[in-house]
Amino acid sequence: LTLARPWRSRSASAFAGTSVGSSWLARHSVAEGLNVGTHEDDRALVEDLARKLEHLDPSCQIPRFLLDPESNCIAEPGQSVGRHYMILTDLAGEVTGWAWLDEEADWWHLQNVWISETLRRQGLGRHMMLYMDSYQSFVADQRKTPSEFRLTALGPAIDFYEKIGWSPLGGVVFSKTFLDRPPVEPIFRRSHEGTWMWRKTGGDQFCPGCSDFCLHVVPPP
């Protein structure tokens, strides 16, 4: 296992006027996954996606973790970290949604799934859920992992989750358990293998509230 070299997040001006993020994503990353920080293109790609997500959904915290000017992260392969941030893209490299998933001792807790308002009811939410099902199976091939997902659902979201196989557990909590794990989807395998694992290396002053996490770039349907 070769660890990628540490790198310091740069300001937006470092990438002003460049299209490397979107064009490289369209040509490579959707099909092949990120290359674990070994190229300038990869680092530019991450910041490009973060800024697009920041513009699309200002309430999302993922860009803050990726763009902090004092950050000093190491990107390396591996699926041992328990927090996952997922950025969904289209074929042109534009961000269309995001998700936040935490692994807990007895189940995986889906904290949030968000799809751009203009793109809802087009199957993208279902696509993100399929990605998470596939990723859980991918991880289960490498280590012991729970077979249950849980989440909190309110309002119209309840119908969506019930339609894709989730059951009420009590109150606003819903659950989905795999008696037989679904197969790893071929469309997602490269993305599963190409996740970035970010480690906090700058002490308490670095990105307050940020813990180690895996960053996933989810390919479009």
Side-chain angles (χ1 to χ4, degrees), residues 2 24 36 40 72 74 86 89-91 97-98 110 112 124 160 176 184-185 187 194 196 203 206 217-218:
T2 301
W24 192 84
V36 202
E40 289 295 318
N72 188 5
I74 296 175
M86 302 168 183
T89 67
D90 63 15
L91 286 173
W98 63 274
L110 181 55
N112 206 341
L124 295 181
F160 168 74
K176 181 178 181 180
V184 176
E185 294 289 337
I187 187 179
W196 291 56
F206 160 67
V217 177
V218 181

Side-chain angles (χ1 to χ4, degrees), residues 53 56-57 59 96-99 112-117 120 128:
L53 178 54
L56 187 67
D57 181 14
S59 68
T96 56
W98 63 274
N112 206 341
V113 177
W114 186 91
I115 301 297
S116 174
E117 291 186 12
R120 293 175 187 176
M128 285 285 277

Side-chain angles (χ1 to χ4, degrees), residues 30 68 70 82 107 109 115 134 146 149-151 219:
V30 166
D68 188 283
E70 300 302 321
W107 58 78
H109 186 183
I115 301 297
S134 177
F149 279 113
R150 290 188 184 182
L151 58 79

Side-chain angles (χ1 to χ4, degrees), residues 7-202:
W7 62 279
R8 183 170 296 278
S9 179
R10 288 169 287 182
S11 65
S13 61
F15 301 101
T18 178
S19 61
V20 65
S22 296
S23 61
W24 192 84
L25 175 64
R27 294 196 312 273
H28 299 283
S29 187
V30 166
E32 300 175 10
L34 297 173
N35 202 13
V36 202
T38 57
H39 299 293
E40 289 295 318
D41 282 354
D42 288 352
R43 297 195 287 272
L45 167 63
V46 169
E47 296 204 10
D48 182 66
L49 291 176
R51 295 201 175 280
K52 289 176 178 178
L53 178 54
E54 185 177 47
H55 176 76
L56 187 67
D57 181 14
S59 68
C60 180
Q61 295 297 303
I62 298 173
R64 180 169 69 91
F65 301 149
L66 297 175
L67 296 171
D68 188 283
E70 300 302 321
S71 66
N72 188 5
C73 301
I74 296 175
E76 62 181 51
Q79 284 74 36
S80 61
V81 68
R83 174 160 291 181
H84 303 271
Y85 295 130
M86 302 168 183
I87 300 177
L88 177 64
T89 67
D90 63 15
L91 286 173
E94 298 302 317
V95 174
T96 56
W98 63 274
W100 168 11
L101 177 71
D102 282 337
E103 295 184 44
E104 299 186 9
D106 298 318
W107 58 78
W108 285 23
H109 186 183
L110 181 55
Q111 301 281 6
N112 206 341
V113 177
W114 186 91
I115 301 297
S116 174
E117 291 186 12
T118 61
L119 298 172
R120 293 175 187 176
R121 300 185 181 277
Q122 297 183 30
L124 295 181
R126 184 185 294 266
H127 181 74
M128 285 285 277
M129 301 302 289
L130 182 62
Y131 178 87
M132 286 179 247
D133 291 351
S134 177
Y135 184 69
Q136 190 186 49
S137 295
F138 177 78
V139 173
D141 289 340
Q142 304 173 47
R143 59 179 168 86
K144 185 176 180 181
T145 182
S147 59
E148 181 184 8
F149 279 113
R150 290 188 184 182
L151 58 79
T152 299
L154 298 169
I158 293 176
D159 289 339
F160 168 74
Y161 290 116
E162 288 181 336
K163 286 179 181 178
I164 60 173
W166 291 69
S167 303
L169 193 62
V172 297
V173 179
F174 284 72
S175 171
K176 181 178 181 180
T177 301
F178 297 114
L179 298 179
D180 296 308
R181 294 189 185 275
V184 176
E185 294 289 337
I187 187 179
F188 297 138
R189 179 171 290 278
R190 288 292 185 89
S191 292
H192 297 335
E193 294 171 346
T195 58
W196 291 56
M197 188 165 75
W198 291 64
R199 284 182 171 169
K200 180 177 175 179
T201 60

